[in-house]
Amino acid sequence: VTGLTNGTSYTFTVHATNAQGDSVESSPSASVTPATVPGAPTGASAVRGNGQATVSFTAPAANGGSAITGYTVTSSPGGTVAVCATTPCTVTGLTNGTAYTFTVRATNAVGTGAASSATSSVTPATVPSAPTGASAARGNGQAVVSFTAPAANGGSAITGYTATSSPGGITATCATSPCTVTGLT
């Protein structure tokens, strides 16, 4: 029987036909609800984190006639997968400094539907490690602080450094070593 509406419950009866006419109807069948896989989620977007990304999306307009039971988010590159019941999904195990896009698929009792459009690219990152080898040279009401850049930038280019005096908490910022801290006694 074709032309049924997914998500609507149906029962069926059958009768036999011969040259003399139709028989009485059978007892109704048990009810069945036609369904298919859900549509693709829409509006997928990602926000980077430390070794992870949080992917938000909108549920598909059509669930295929069967309630959506979950979502699968897949990263590219790498194919890292996260499964969740609702939006958002957090994908862990990503490499800081690597750019990723993500697609989302909805699943119901029938199966898994088509993938959403890919998110814009995001690059997981964290704060850089600490600079090393800090040393200071005295000056007139100031000090020149030299250091070695950290070995790990956390997956994102270092944009600057801040040198802080103790006591007093007087700071100076610089793009590279050395930093000159002024206003010292």
Side-chain angles (χ1 to χ4, degrees):
V1 178
T2 60
L4 303 177
T5 302
N6 287 337
T8 300
S9 179
Y10 294 90
T11 61
F12 301 91
T13 58
V14 181
H15 66 258
T17 303
N18 65 14
Q20 302 304 310
D22 295 335
S23 71
V24 295
E25 296 294 320
S26 68
S27 299
S29 68
S31 67
V32 293
T33 304
T36 187
V37 296
T42 58
S45 64
V47 176
R48 73 179 181 177
N50 180 9
Q52 66 184 28
T54 301
V55 180
S56 299
F57 51 90
T58 301
N63 68 6
S66 178
I68 293 173
T69 57
Y71 297 90
T72 303
V73 178
T74 306
S75 73
S76 178
T80 303
V81 173
V83 178
C84 57
T86 62
T87 187
C89 273
T90 299
V91 182
T92 60
L94 303 177
T95 302
N96 285 338
T98 299
Y100 293 91
T101 61
F102 303 89
T103 56
V104 185
R105 294 176 183 260
T107 300
N108 65 13
V110 177
T112 300
S116 68
S117 297
T119 65
S120 296
S121 177
V122 296
T123 304
T126 188
V127 297
S129 58
T132 58
S135 64
R138 69 181 179 178
N140 181 12
Q142 67 182 25
V144 176
V145 180
S146 300
F147 54 89
T148 301
N153 67 7
S156 181
I158 294 172
T159 57
Y161 298 90
T162 302
T164 306
S165 72
S166 179
I170 299 169
T171 62
T173 58
C174 54
T176 61
S177 179
C179 282
T180 301
V181 181
T182 61
L184 302 175
T185 303

